């Protein structure tokens, strides 16, 4: 519940920020090495920056993960019969909280962007949405932010639904500026996904055919005590490793002298 309150408070705070700071990217993240930007080289910094609002949203989503529950046949049957066939089957995966935060954030953001004229700061939220999607695409491959893919999924579904609904609605019922923003945002997401799929087809990941897991290690010049307990050479039974020739206490590795 407290996450829902935080999300509701975030949007009014965005409008209070000075115009020069609304699109400021100050949150440090590791470089994603995205192919669209080119692989990291010695001339490219190994870090990027995203908006703090993007980082806050991702951390809120990721903080909702709980241990998955036991699979239930009735839940699985209900998920298959659900109309939301596109949604994640999360009834038993421990992601219910993540989905709730994604839905709330997506709904609140796009509702504010879709308001007509200057009502509710719609003209100010549309650039924020565009910058947010740019940041999500930047970090979607980073293991530190797995929620980026989930948020992009829900944003693209909602944007696509709004565009389909607008195609059959009267012209005066839909804000034209929002449609342009939605089309641009939807195009960014789909273009990035299509580019990733094409690169994966052209350069598929391949495992090495053989792996030598028992490669001989160089012979050490002296035998030393490397027991994980951290104690020194005690007056007790110790064993010598045949590979690395380091000594370990028998009691630490569960081996007795007998």
């Amino acid at each position: 519940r407290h996450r829902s309150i935080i999300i509701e408070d975030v949007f009014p705070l965005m409008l209070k920020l000075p115009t020069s700071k609304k699109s400021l990217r100050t949150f440090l993240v590791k470089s994603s090495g995205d192919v669209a930007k080119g692989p990291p080289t010695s001339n490219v910094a190994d870090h990027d920056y995203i908006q703090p609002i993007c980082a806050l949203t991702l951390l809120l989503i990721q903080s909702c993960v709980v241990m998955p529950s036991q699979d239930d046949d009735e839940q699985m049957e209900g998920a298959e019969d659900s109309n939301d066939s596109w949604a994640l089957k999360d009834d038993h995966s421990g992601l219910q909280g993540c989905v709730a935060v994604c839905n709330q954030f997506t709904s609140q953001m796009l509702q504010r962007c879709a308001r007509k004229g200057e009502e509710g700061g719609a003209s100010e939220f549309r650039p924020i949405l565009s910058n947010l999607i740019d940041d999500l695409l930047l970090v979607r491959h980073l293991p530190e932010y797995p929620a980026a893919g989930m948020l992009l999924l829900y944003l693209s579904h909602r944007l696509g639904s709004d565009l389909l609904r607008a195609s059959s609605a009267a012209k005066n019922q839909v804000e034209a500026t929002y449609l342009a923003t939605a089309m641009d945002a939807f195009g960014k997401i789909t273009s990035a996904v299509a580019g990733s799929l094409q690169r994966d087809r052209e350069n598929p990941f391949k495992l090495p055919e053989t792996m030598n897991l028992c490669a001989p290690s160089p012979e050490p010049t002296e035998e030393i005590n490397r027991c994980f307990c951290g104690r020194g050479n005690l007056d007790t039974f110790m064993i010598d490793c045949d590979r690395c020739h380091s000594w370990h206490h028998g009691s630490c590795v569960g081996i007795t002298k007998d």
Side-chain angles (χ1 to χ4, degrees), residues 241-253:
C241 177
D242 292 336
R243 290 189 59 192
C244 64
H245 293 284
S246 55
W247 290 83
H248 303 268
H249 302 121
S251 58
C252 294
V253 295

Side-chain angles (χ1 to χ4, degrees), residues 113-115 117 122-123 126 174-184:
C113 292
R115 291 172 180 170
S123 60
R126 289 164 191 160
V174 183
E175 177 65 23
T177 309
Y178 169 67
L179 289 181
T181 302
M183 183 65 73
D184 178 67

Side-chain angles (χ1 to χ4, degrees), residues 219-235:
E219 292 292 333
T221 57
E222 60 180 6
E223 296 180 345
I224 57 175
N225 177 10
R226 289 182 178 172
C227 188
F228 54 81
C229 69
R231 296 177 295 173
N233 295 322
L234 304 177
D235 187 14

Side-chain angles (χ1 to χ4, degrees), residues 49-226:
Y49 292 91
I50 62 174
Q51 295 179 110
I53 180 59
C54 179
L56 172 63
T57 305
L58 293 176
L59 293 177
L60 280 174
I61 296 172
Q62 293 171 191
S63 66
C64 300
V65 179
V66 296
M67 289 293 293
S69 60
Q70 187 73 22
D71 290 348
D72 185 45
D73 294 338
E74 294 181 359
Q75 288 183 349
M76 292 296 291
E77 291 176 2
E80 292 175 358
D81 297 337
S82 174
N83 292 329
D84 295 334
S85 57
W86 65 273
L88 298 174
K89 300 300 184 289
D90 55 4
D91 293 337
H92 58 283
S93 65
L95 300 178
Q96 298 95 323
C98 302
V99 172
V101 174
C102 278
N103 277 326
Q104 183 185 7
F105 182 84
T106 301
S107 176
Q108 297 252 2
M109 172 64 80
L110 297 185
Q111 281 179 8
R112 284 170 168 79
C113 292
R115 291 172 180 170
K116 294 185 178 181
E118 301 295 326
E119 180 185 358
S123 60
E124 299 183 33
F125 279 113
R126 289 164 191 160
I128 294 176
L129 174 64
S130 179
N131 292 332
L132 174 68
I133 291 176
D134 289 338
D135 291 343
L136 292 175
L137 292 174
L138 180 67
V139 301
R140 74 189 189 278
H141 295 310
L142 294 181
E144 294 90 341
Y145 301 103
M150 176 184 282
L151 189 53
L152 284 169
L153 171 67
Y154 281 82
L155 280 170
S156 59
H157 177 264
R158 179 63 185 269
L159 290 167
S161 299
D162 289 349
L163 291 171
L164 288 174
R165 194 180 305 111
S167 63
S168 59
K171 292 184 179 180
N172 57 356
Q173 294 181 353
V174 183
E175 177 65 23
T177 309
Y178 169 67
L179 289 181
T181 302
M183 183 65 73
D184 178 67
F186 190 74
K188 281 183 182 180
I189 298 173
T190 54
S191 175
V193 172
S196 297
L197 291 174
Q198 182 178 358
R199 289 190 293 269
D200 291 341
R201 293 191 189 100
E202 295 174 352
N203 304 291
F205 177 76
K206 295 181 179 179
L207 291 173
E209 295 181 359
T210 59
M211 295 182 65
N212 188 2
L213 300 178
C214 299
S217 57
E219 292 292 333
T221 57
E222 60 180 6
E223 296 180 345
I224 57 175
N225 177 10
R226 289 182 178 172

